[in-house]
Amino acid sequence: MRAILLTGAAGFIGCNLARLILRADPSVRLVALDKLTYAGSLANLESLKGDPRLIFVHGDVADSPLLERLWAEHGIGEVLHLAAESHVDRGILASGPFVHSNVVGTQILLDVARARGVRRFVHVSTDEVYGSLPEDRPDLKFTESTPLSPNSPYSASKAAADCLVRAYYHTYGMPVLITRCSNNYGPHQFPEKVIPLFITHLLQDKPVPLYGDGLNVRDWIHVEDHCQVLWELLNRGRTGEVYNIGGECEMTNRALTETILREMGRTWESSVRFVPDRPGHDRRYAMDITKIRREMGWSPRRRFDEAIRETIAWYRDHESWWRAAIQSS
């Protein structure tokens, strides 16, 4: 069988990717590694329980002996590396865990994978490594050649990991590629991120906290679109390359808030509370996905107006899941 190591498998994107892979290829044995910190939960993989092709392993991506054992036991040939500390606010409060997981963890995983002759290594990064775009230049977008200019401990740790992955390609000829994606949304996202945070607040009749003036711009992509292209890149992306991934759905946080309020039948006056802006808050992100569209024939399929309604419905129907997630944090 085809053995794939998926790190961060019990997290938001990881669990959605695990389901997609096991549907897409019956020959896959998926070694699902997760540390099960506050944002990772076995409940996210509940629908896959009993599938003999899924082998869940509770462990740290920075645990070299564990990784060596997984390679020896399962003959891993490919890696999808998603494991990361990813919440910007937590990184501002304490950057140490971000450096450990995102930088040291990536380095250790690279070393073991290289020594074991990995056939393909996909490192999943973020658009935040590019920094911020000017508000007065809507024509500008991040391309794969945009210089890295991270502005938070989180994005700095991801940029450092990206540089390590790139170095292992150029120094050792390791078959790696890097993806940088815009903001994801969809089912199973931990409720500290803005969309599930706002939805779960409103479901509890609590006001939503909107940073600053609410005019920061983000590009949104549904997690299923992201997972689909990650799977395609694992199978046929060019090694040594960086691929930007985006939903072509830019909007201000204020517009995002208005959409969620409208879909949930709430008013701005009764449901929004402005809070002081986050330190170092990037003003605008926008992704140019020309390269991935040209090389992979891929473009996002999920329309935001439809997918956000489905996302709201998912959280409404899975109250026990998000309440348990909040309590675990």
Side-chain angles (χ1 to χ4, degrees), residues 263-283:
E263 293 296 336
M264 298 187 69
R266 307 301 172 91
T267 64
W268 184 276
E269 293 74 19
S270 64
S271 300
V272 176
R273 173 173 58 89
F274 284 95
V275 297
D277 207 356
R278 166 196 295 157
H281 198 180
D282 289 332
R283 196 63 172 171

Side-chain angles (χ1 to χ4, degrees), residues 61-123:
V61 72
D63 184 343
S64 183
L66 171 62
L67 296 176
E68 292 280 5
R69 177 172 63 81
L70 295 182
W71 250 272
E73 291 180 357
H74 302 293
I76 293 163
E78 299 157 280
V79 173
L80 284 159
H81 179 36
L82 280 68
E85 291 282 350
S86 65
H87 190 53
V88 175
D89 288 353
R90 288 179 184 256
I92 292 170
L93 293 173
S95 62
F98 287 70
V99 173
H100 172 79
S101 292
N102 302 356
V103 184
V104 178
T106 298
Q107 174 256 314
I108 290 172
L109 181 59
L110 284 166
D111 280 345
V112 174
R114 182 175 73 88
R116 292 287 186 163
V118 72
R119 292 192 297 276
R120 178 150 304 205
F121 186 112
V122 177
H123 172 67

Side-chain angles (χ1 to χ4, degrees), residues 125-160:
S125 189
T126 170
D127 59 357
E128 297 194 37
V129 299
Y130 293 125
S132 187
L133 290 165
E135 295 177 84
D136 60 350
R137 290 291 307 277
D139 57 310
L140 289 182
K141 296 187 176 186
F142 296 135
T143 71
E144 288 82 359
S145 60
T146 299
L148 304 187
S149 185
N151 291 321
S152 70
Y154 160 62
S155 58
S157 69
K158 291 297 289 184

